[in-house]
Amino acid sequence: MINLKLIETNFDAFNKKLKAKKVNDGVLSELLNAHKALKAAKFECENVQAVQNLKSKEVGEKARKGEDVSALKAELETNKKRLLELNAAVLELETKLENIASKVPNLIDDDVPFGADEEENVCLKVVGEPRKFDFAPKEHFELGEALGWLDFERGAKISGSRFTVLRGDGARLSRALVNFMIDFNASRGFELVNVPFLVNSKTLYGTGQLPKFEEDLYKVRDEDLYLIPTSEVPVTNLYNDTIIDGEKLPIKMTCYSSCFRQEAGSAGRDTRGMIRQHQFEKVELVSITRPDQSESVLEEMVSCASDMLSALGLPHRHMLLCSGDLGFSAAKTVDLEVWLPGQNKYREISSVSNCRDFQARRAKIRFKDGKRNELANTLNGSSLAVGRTLIAVMENYQNADGSVSVPDVLRKYM
């Protein structure tokens, strides 16, 4: 949830940053008007309460003197009814403002470049040189089908489009990647947690998936349960409605999970192969920090994912996302894009985001700072998307005869 106090303290900058995230003028006007209406109602309520307090005091003083207070009591009763009406109006306006604000994305950090879409993202650095092949490299689906690793036909047969069955050495290599990623993250100080793959609507609200992105979620019929789109959701919410000892921050966690997304807005994109699936696996990084720690922890998480790709021998680049390409909850995001020789392009394989206090405000994640309770900062990042890492290994380690070599760091896991 955005900090609504910024509407009053710096509305122009607030407006500019939300427009950069493609929030239209109508929503901004609605948000501002709702905020003004709530402020006016609260002001009137406070004034009526002040009058009520004065008159109550006056009744007491006159009653002690034996004076007639019937007229004053009548005024108090009228005021009391007015207060009840105003309190109900304030509650209704608070709900209205919260409903509007819940669909408004996070503000961008000051160092995020303004831009319309992914074409205006900024390359921060390139890591590793793409391999030069002495044959035409194939895409992963060609390699996988020929090796018997990827069974798209049976995936579609049992579940429909955008589902894939992994078999034999392909399944073993995928499992090896998961174990390697978990061990790598643990060596960097991230605690392994296992969480449910089903969560309730309050949990999804806390990290910003609800209410805005309900069409992308798989819901269990007649129950308040949804399949998780990413383990960021349950892992971050392990601390919802919690006050953490500030001395214990940062809390750093890693988690393996399956992820489930309807991909409602991706019709026609990446329809062949397993780049974009309804069910996929990911090893996630999640951190909960003090505000003054979050920038350095973001760098640490990006380095962790980047070093993992380097350990796998996969060329990649760091991309700072522009305002128009940022996710709903993110204030700043660095994507890692891996080189896929079969496609002859870089593709996203990890996305590491600093959400500042946006999720913490929604999920009520706080920490004790001396005698005060302050909102924490939350960060999350894929480390890495397992299926896309499998694709990258297949394409970068392919041989002329169609076989795929296994990177050295994965051999003990095979």
Side-chain angles (χ1 to χ4, degrees), residues 63 103 117 153 212 221 299 309 328 331 343 383 392 410 414:
K103 298 172 186 175
D117 52 37
E153 183 180 346
K212 190 171 176 63
R221 191 172 67 178
E299 293 172 6
L309 286 168
F328 181 79
Q343 293 190 24
S383 172
L410 296 180
M414 294 289 286

Side-chain angles (χ1 to χ4, degrees), residues 304-316 336 338 349 384 389:
C304 184
S306 179
D307 291 348
M308 186 185 294
L309 286 168
S310 294
L312 288 165
L314 297 174
H316 59 282
L336 301 182
V338 69
I349 196 168
L384 304 158
T389 310

Side-chain angles (χ1 to χ4, degrees), residues 342-409:
Q343 293 190 24
N344 195 37
K345 65 167 67 171
Y346 287 97
R347 296 299 301 264
E348 178 198 337
I349 196 168
S350 175
S351 193
V352 186
S353 298
N354 190 345
C355 298
R356 298 293 180 181
D357 61 10
F358 183 82
Q359 293 178 327
R361 183 173 280 105
R362 297 169 76 107
K364 299 178 182 176
I365 303 172
R366 294 151 292 172
F367 69 95
K368 181 71 73 175
D369 184 20
K371 294 183 179 180
R372 297 176 54 179
N373 295 332
E374 302 284 349
L375 287 170
N377 278 197
T378 63
L379 301 94
N380 63 80
S382 344
S383 172
L384 304 158
V386 178
R388 292 194 180 193
T389 310
L390 176 64
I391 288 168
V393 168
M394 290 170 67
E395 293 197 11
N396 282 278
Y397 282 88
Q398 64 181 289
N399 302 307
D401 63 0
S403 63
V404 174
S405 298
V406 176
D408 290 343
V409 292

Side-chain angles (χ1 to χ4, degrees), residues 43-263:
F43 182 73
E44 186 178 357
C45 192
E46 288 166 3
N47 285 340
V48 174
Q49 183 65 62
V51 170
Q52 188 78 340
N53 293 342
L54 283 172
K55 289 194 177 295
S56 293
K57 185 178 179 182
E58 189 179 351
V59 165
E61 291 171 350
K62 287 191 174 185
R64 281 193 295 274
K65 294 176 182 177
E67 296 179 20
D68 181 17
V69 292
S70 55
L72 277 173
K73 284 187 174 181
E75 284 185 52
L76 281 172
E77 192 59 34
T78 301
N79 264 5
K80 184 179 178 181
K81 290 178 182 176
R82 180 61 182 150
L83 266 177
L84 289 172
E85 291 171 358
L86 285 170
N87 281 323
V90 166
L91 185 60
E92 185 179 337
L93 287 167
E94 283 177 339
T95 302
K96 179 181 179 181
L97 181 60
E98 185 172 331
N99 287 339
I100 298 168
S102 70
K103 298 172 186 175
V104 175
N106 198 1
L107 298 174
I108 63 173
D109 278 358
D110 290 338
D111 59 347
V112 169
F114 281 67
D117 52 37
E118 62 185 18
E119 298 300 321
E120 297 184 73
N121 294 340
V122 176
C123 183
L124 299 176
K125 69 175 177 178
V126 177
V127 181
E129 287 287 331
R131 172 185 165 192
K132 291 181 171 60
F133 290 84
D134 55 8
F135 59 92
K138 297 177 181 177
E139 292 199 52
H140 71 280
F141 49 81
E142 299 174 89
L143 293 163
E145 286 182 318
L147 290 167
W149 290 10
L150 307 180
D151 194 335
F152 301 108
E153 183 180 346
R154 284 181 174 81
K157 182 179 180 181
I158 61 176
S159 300
S161 62
R162 296 191 190 275
F163 290 93
T164 305
V165 174
L166 299 184
R167 308 189 73 149
D169 284 339
R172 292 175 65 216
L173 183 55
S174 178
R175 186 180 66 175
L177 282 166
V178 171
N179 290 329
F180 165 70
M181 292 175 187
I182 289 171
D183 288 349
F184 191 96
N185 292 339
S187 74
R188 297 295 180 96
F190 290 85
E191 176 197 4
L192 177 63
V193 295
N194 285 347
V195 293
F197 292 177
L198 287 161
V199 294
N200 58 33
S201 55
K202 178 185 175 183
T203 300
L204 285 157
Y205 178 85
T207 40
Q209 281 76 22
L210 285 179
K212 190 171 176 63
F213 300 104
E214 185 159 14
E215 66 174 4
D216 285 329
L217 302 171
Y218 285 101
K219 188 179 189 306
V220 177
R221 191 172 67 178
D222 301 328
E223 290 190 62
D224 183 30
L225 284 173
Y226 297 78
L227 287 167
I228 60 170
T230 165
S231 57
E232 163 206 342
V233 176
V235 176
T236 303
N237 277 282
L238 289 175
Y239 291 90
N240 72 20
D241 211 4
T242 299
I243 299 172
I244 306 164
D245 180 355
E247 297 299 314
K248 294 182 178 179
L249 297 178
I251 294 170
K252 303 189 299 180
M253 297 167 283
T254 186
C255 181
Y256 159 77
S257 76
S258 289
C259 308
F260 307 87
R261 298 182 190 174
Q262 294 207 39
E263 296 287 357

Side-chain angles (χ1 to χ4, degrees), residues 277-306:
Q277 302 272 277
H278 290 309
Q279 176 184 326
F280 59 97
E281 297 174 309
K282 192 148 63 85
V283 174
E284 189 82 1
L285 296 174
V286 171
S287 296
I288 298 174
T289 76
R290 302 168 68 100
D292 60 355
Q293 297 169 326
S294 66
E295 189 63 26
S296 62
V297 171
L298 175 68
E299 293 172 6
E300 181 183 350
M301 290 168 67
V302 170
S303 293
C304 184
S306 179

